[in-house]
Amino acid sequence: MKLTFALILALQDYIHMSVCVWAQDWPEPDKELVDKYEGLKAVFLKRLVNAWEKAKDAIQPALESSPTGGQAKEIFEEMRKRPRVESAIKIIGGLASELEPVVDKARMALLGAYGQYLRPYIGEHLDKAITNIKPVLDTVLPHEG
């Protein structure tokens, strides 16, 4: 009983500390930093979409010609038509749209904290690393089709 009570008190203090840390006002990120982040994010997402499309285009003919590929496609189509799956997709989509403002606020808080506390020390090194990795990514995972 004493151990349970001590655990509850410890968790209460931990939760209070966590809420206090996230409830504080975080510095606003510079517009230049936000624009740079948004640009890098957009290019990264383009790279992922292009990689997905290339993989799909490469695998699709092989799947269509094999008997197991056709069966897998039929099973997938049947699952998509099920009401539970449709409901789950709608719920997940709704949760994603509901969480978007929270995620944006957290992203801006982290960018602000990075801009104020870390960027003066590691910003130049990180920028050089990103610049140096871009040619490799352009070769392996291009962002333009």
Side-chain angles (χ1 to χ4, degrees):
M1 181 70 170
K2 289 180 183 179
L3 183 62
T4 305
F5 185 69
L7 183 62
I8 290 171
L9 286 177
L11 285 175
Q12 182 182 9
D13 287 340
Y14 175 75
I15 291 170
H16 177 68
M17 285 287 291
S18 298
V19 170
C20 289
V21 167
W22 285 106
Q24 73 178 351
D25 289 332
W26 290 92
E28 288 291 319
D30 298 345
K31 175 149 176 45
E32 178 262 334
L33 179 61
V34 173
D35 292 342
K36 189 173 193 174
Y37 169 80
E38 292 295 331
L40 290 172
K41 183 175 110 177
V43 169
F44 181 73
L45 290 176
K46 285 180 187 175
R47 289 181 194 280
L48 289 179
V49 167
N50 283 338
W52 171 255
E53 291 296 324
K54 285 182 180 180
K56 188 174 76 172
D57 291 344
I59 293 172
Q60 195 167 12
L63 285 178
E64 289 175 355
S65 64
S66 76
T68 56
Q71 291 173 346
K73 188 175 181 179
E74 289 174 14
I75 292 170
F76 182 71
E77 291 298 324
E78 283 183 35
M79 285 183 60
R80 285 184 60 194
K81 293 177 185 176
R82 291 184 181 171
R84 286 186 178 179
V85 174
E86 289 178 0
S87 298
I89 290 171
K90 288 179 183 176
I91 289 170
I92 291 170
L95 283 174
S97 64
E98 290 290 326
L99 289 175
E100 190 173 349
V102 174
V103 171
D104 285 341
K105 186 175 180 181
R107 183 180 299 127
M108 288 300 126
L110 288 173
L111 279 174
Y114 165 76
Q116 180 154 353
Y117 302 116
L118 294 175
R119 195 173 191 195
Y121 304 105
I122 65 169
E124 188 176 321
H125 301 293
L126 186 59
D127 192 46
K128 283 181 185 177
I130 290 170
T131 303
N132 289 337
I133 197 76
K134 277 183 183 180
V136 175
L137 287 175
D138 287 340
T139 303
V140 177
L141 204 61
H143 67 287
E144 295 175 357

